Amino acid sequence: MSDQPALAPLTWAVTTGEAGMTNQAIGLAEAIGLPVVAKVIHVPKPWRWLPTHWAAPLGIKALCGPGSDAFTPPWPEVLVTSGRRSGALSIALRRASGGRTLTVHIQNPLVPFENFDLVIAPEHDGVAAANVVQSLGALHKITPTKLAEAAERFRARFAALPRPLVAVLVGGTSGAYRLEAEDTRRLARQLADLVAARGVGLVVTPSRRTGAANAAILRETLEPLGALVWDGVSDNPYFAMLALADVLLVTEESVSMVSEACFSGKPVYTIALQGGSKRFKRFHALMRDRGYARPFTGTLEPWTPPAPLDETARCAAIVRTLLARRREALGLTP
């Protein structure tokens, strides 16, 4: 092993730049506890279309297209990748490090799992192997500390809103779902009815997927009722909503938003949209069966989830155990 480049006590979090993939990779990397370096790789044509275990033997340089960050020794002790294309870099770096870097891939890599030391795949994907850990929902980078900090920043702003405080996380059209104007009007009417019947406070955050027209419907209907609807420009109250709300409503197209809402430990309701898929149906069925979420039908019921859902911390603990074993095998000190 003496001819191998030294390992650095770091975790590299590598993705191809998509927000959802980056959120999961950095979240897990931070939870592992080593210093984190986030990197982006852009796999060039034609390798981006090939199965990653075909492209990886070309080596790291061949996989780094224009705009990619540098990937040079010393190699990190841990590499976290998320998304199929970043898997090629994981396999190539594992070889370059002589198998010493611990490689962790988030989501189904769609290649043989033995190419990685650990694969963390959503339970609703139904993949299983000796080195696969199934997560309930998506990993993320939210922590109790981040929620507490956000709560302090927005506490005064939310103080005038009535209780119970209902936070509404609105996504939008995605690959599997559609958010049409009629869906938004229905949701706005349901929320208005809650204000009239229960006197609830409302804080609503649209996302980029919501679209300007749908966001305008929410704003025009709910702001006259005293609701706080994020304008898309000022500081996003998203984390503060998770921390300070009594109940959370989340549109069903986002596994990440539902998972993050369930991290809060509050009752979570999923808002139906048009569309869906078998994969999403499995996910929502799991969340219902485990007691973390219920469908939103326009009413709120008193209930308590089993506990805050923290799959990121659970998976990070597994990685730390594997890292300790790797260090022992290599004769490295922590």
Side-chain angles (χ1 to χ4, degrees), residues 94-177:
R94 190 187 191 197
R95 295 179 179 181
S97 72
R100 296 181 303 156
T101 292
L102 184 71
T103 59
V104 181
H105 188 78
I106 301 171
Q107 295 198 332
N108 186 348
L110 301 178
V111 299
F113 301 137
E114 60 264 24
N115 287 289
F116 309 91
D117 292 305
L118 183 69
V119 172
I120 300 173
E123 187 173 346
H124 57 273
D125 279 354
V127 298
N131 66 330
V132 171
V133 170
Q134 294 183 331
S135 65
L136 181 58
L139 307 187
H140 53 77
K141 56 184 179 182
I142 302 177
T143 65
T145 298
K146 292 177 181 178
L147 291 189
E149 291 171 351
E152 286 307 306
R153 288 201 307 274
F154 284 87
R155 193 178 303 280
R157 189 175 176 189
F158 287 7
L161 295 171
R163 293 282 175 170
L165 182 59
V166 178
V168 188
L169 313 179
V170 184
T173 297
S174 65
Y177 288 94

Side-chain angles (χ1 to χ4, degrees), residues 293-317:
R294 297 181 179 183
F296 179 58
T297 60
T299 60
L300 302 178
E301 304 169 353
W303 62 284
T304 303
L309 180 64
D310 195 353
E311 291 290 82
T312 306
R314 182 177 70 86
C315 292

Side-chain angles (χ1 to χ4, degrees), residues 210-240:
T210 307
N214 288 320
I217 292 170
L218 295 170
R219 194 167 289 111
E220 292 164 5
T221 305
L222 301 176
E223 285 186 338
L225 304 178
L228 192 162
V229 183
W230 182 50
D231 59 11
V233 178
S234 58
D235 287 346
N236 193 334
Y238 181 79
F239 279 20

Side-chain angles (χ1 to χ4, degrees), residues 151 154-167 194-195 197-203 240-248 266 300:
F154 284 87
R155 193 178 303 280
R157 189 175 176 189
F158 287 7
L161 295 171
R163 293 282 175 170
L165 182 59
V166 178
L194 278 178
V195 173
R198 296 279 303 276
V200 305
L202 291 176
V203 56
M241 292 165 67
L242 300 185
L244 296 173
D246 300 299
V247 180
L248 292 145
K266 316 289 179 59
L300 302 178

